[in-house]
Amino acid sequence: MAKAAKKKNDIIELKTQLAKKTLQPLYIFYGEEEYLKEFYIKKILELVPDAGLEEFNRILIAGAADYGEYDDAWEGMPMMTDRRVLQIRDSNIFAMTRKGDIVPPNEEQKKFWLEKFKRLSDDTVVIFCEKNVDARSSLFKAAAKAGFAVKCEYMSIPDLKAWVVKQVLRAGKKIDDKVAEYLVSVIDPGLNNLEHELNKLLNYCDEIIYQTDVDKVVSKAMQVQIFDITDGITEGNPEKVFGVLNELKTQKQSAFGILYLIYANVEKMLHLKLAGVTNRNDAAQLLGGSPWLAGRYLSAASGFSAAALERMVTRVPEIDYEIKSGVVTEWQALEQYIFEALDMKERRQ
């Protein structure tokens, strides 16, 4: 039996191109990780000097533009240097479905781009940086074939942890692996956000970064704050629960959104309970995501019976109906739901 072809690693191949200074005539950067997009675009720009004539050799078109502007930019030439860079950002030309402000190209516009992709020049490096990309689109396939497409995805927890440790060491400080893992697990995803929160820690801490420092300084993701509510219910600690709830209320968060995030947590807890999962690695495999988050679901689930979790799950659609019927306000409904959950916890004890 023939072996399956090994999946190409776009980032590794891009690093090789940059190291050898052999740039492609066209790049597409897409995916959720904005930090990596900007990092590698900067590396490409460093390899294409602008000869001090940025106006001519650094062309930027941001957002959907008139096709005459695209044409003029594409057909232009570098000034006093061998190459120039044309950046096209958030053009949405690789989208296939209309959604809000996202308008896919029509047939005439597709023809325009297909002709451009057939006529790439050695004197211009074209960079597309896009948020909305459908890799099935004919334009994406044509552009990727003519140049090089790089999908910038969120890094894994182990890779993020290694990145944190490296940055902390570079700053002349120390952080334990478990604290690094805790940090990357409690914040919103993305290296831009991680860098921002890590800088706050580095400025706040002395020689060593502890978990207590993370709790004091870092802005936790909404999902993690919801875990704190779930933990408070599990512990039978109304002060903890309503302390977090009041903080979210001060932040003007939606009570309806909080209710459904709690609902999503409880659903996962019930899933683990019914599956009989007992360790966080199995929990992570079942739920997806990081072992740290899966461990929190598992720990929270241990504090409830399956019947209590089932009731907490089925109660949310009932409350949803009560809100929409005008029986209660969103915040009244959320507080009522939490009181009921705390009551179920007390009765189990």
Side-chain angles (χ1 to χ4, degrees):
M1 180 186 263
K3 289 184 178 179
K6 201 171 184 182
K7 189 172 181 261
K8 179 183 72 174
N9 188 310
D10 299 338
I11 297 293
I12 291 177
E13 191 165 334
L14 175 63
K15 286 180 178 179
T16 301
Q17 293 175 17
L18 295 173
K20 293 181 177 179
K21 300 181 181 180
T22 54
L23 297 180
Q24 299 292 317
L26 181 147
Y27 288 92
I28 309 169
F29 289 94
Y30 68 109
E32 58 213 355
E33 183 50 87
E34 296 297 325
Y35 183 99
L36 289 180
K37 292 180 190 176
E38 301 305 329
F39 178 84
Y40 287 112
I41 289 173
K42 183 180 177 183
K43 292 294 183 185
I44 292 172
L45 292 172
E46 288 172 356
L47 293 178
V48 186
D50 65 7
L53 297 169
E54 187 174 345
E55 181 182 354
F56 298 98
N57 299 322
R58 292 283 188 271
I59 311 302
L60 171 64
I61 301 177
D66 178 85
Y67 272 66
E69 184 179 355
Y70 283 134
D71 190 52
D72 290 343
W74 199 278
E75 300 301 331
M77 297 177 64
M79 183 76 70
M80 303 298 290
T81 186
D82 294 333
R83 284 186 300 184
R84 66 184 183 128
V85 175
L86 166 60
Q87 285 191 68
I88 300 175
R89 290 175 172 264
D90 300 323
S91 66
N92 295 325
I93 72 163
F94 304 118
M96 292 181 68
T97 306
R98 182 167 189 152
K99 184 179 179 183
D101 295 333
I102 302 170
V103 181
N106 58 34
E107 291 306 314
E108 185 179 347
Q109 291 166 344
K110 286 181 184 177
K111 186 177 178 181
F112 170 91
W113 287 114
L114 288 172
E115 287 298 320
K116 294 300 182 190
F117 296 151
K118 289 176 185 175
R119 295 173 46 247
L120 296 174
S121 172
D122 292 337
D123 63 21
T124 301
V125 178
V126 180
I127 300 173
F128 284 93
C129 185
E130 302 285 334
K131 292 185 178 69
N132 304 297
V133 168
D134 190 326
R136 300 170 300 174
S137 80
S138 57
L139 288 185
F140 179 84
K141 290 175 181 177
K145 184 177 180 181
F148 190 68
V150 183
K151 188 173 185 179
C152 298
E153 300 177 286
Y154 287 141
M155 293 165 62
S156 67
I157 293 291
D159 286 343
L160 288 171
K161 184 173 71 172
W163 186 87
V164 168
V165 171
K166 183 178 179 180
Q167 299 304 314
V168 172
L169 287 174
R170 185 176 291 171
K173 299 187 180 184
K174 298 177 183 177
I175 187 170
D176 184 84
D177 278 358
K178 289 183 178 178
V179 178
E181 181 176 0
Y182 178 71
L183 168 62
V184 302
S185 298
V186 301
I187 64 172
D188 285 319
L191 274 170
N192 279 330
N193 188 53
L194 177 55
E195 183 178 50
H196 175 70
E197 298 298 336
L198 182 57
N199 284 337
K200 284 161 60 176
L201 278 170
L202 290 171
N203 289 329
Y204 174 81
C205 299
D206 293 324
E207 184 182 348
I208 302 174
I209 298 174
Y210 297 100
Q211 184 169 322
T212 51
D213 298 319
V214 176
D215 289 330
K216 286 177 186 174
V217 175
V218 165
S219 300
K220 292 184 179 179
M222 169 73 90
Q223 179 64 56
V224 176
Q225 291 177 293
I226 299 302
F227 266 125
D228 291 340
I229 291 175
T230 308
D231 287 347
I233 294 171
T234 305
E235 297 161 9
N237 186 343
E239 290 81 11
K240 179 176 181 177
V241 174
F242 285 99
V244 177
L245 202 62
N246 288 334
E247 185 178 335
L248 292 171
K249 198 171 187 178
T250 301
Q251 295 170 8
K252 300 190 184 304
Q253 299 289 349
S254 161
F256 202 74
I258 295 168
L259 177 63
Y260 270 89
L261 282 172
I262 296 173
Y263 171 75
N265 273 14
V266 174
E267 264 198 325
K268 289 183 173 68
M269 289 156 59
L270 178 59
H271 193 28
L272 293 173
K273 177 74 73 173
L274 295 177
V277 174
T278 57
N279 68 74
R280 75 175 194 166
N281 288 329
D282 288 344
Q285 189 170 0
L286 184 65
L287 300 177
S290 76
W292 184 87
L293 281 174
R296 290 205 70 168
Y297 286 122
L298 191 63
S299 175
S302 67
F304 291 90
S305 66
L309 291 173
E310 285 174 358
R311 179 56 186 153
M312 290 170 70
V313 167
T314 57
R315 184 73 181 102
V316 171
E318 296 172 0
I319 290 177
D320 181 52
Y321 178 77
E322 291 169 9
I323 292 171
K324 290 174 180 174
S325 301
V327 176
V328 291
T329 67
E330 290 185 14
W331 278 102
Q332 287 171 339
L334 175 58
E335 290 168 359
Q336 176 185 327
Y337 179 76
I338 288 173
F339 276 123
E340 290 174 9
L342 284 164
D343 184 55
M344 279 188 281
K345 175 64 182 176
E346 287 175 8
R347 282 192 274 117
R348 185 176 186 236
Q349 292 175 335

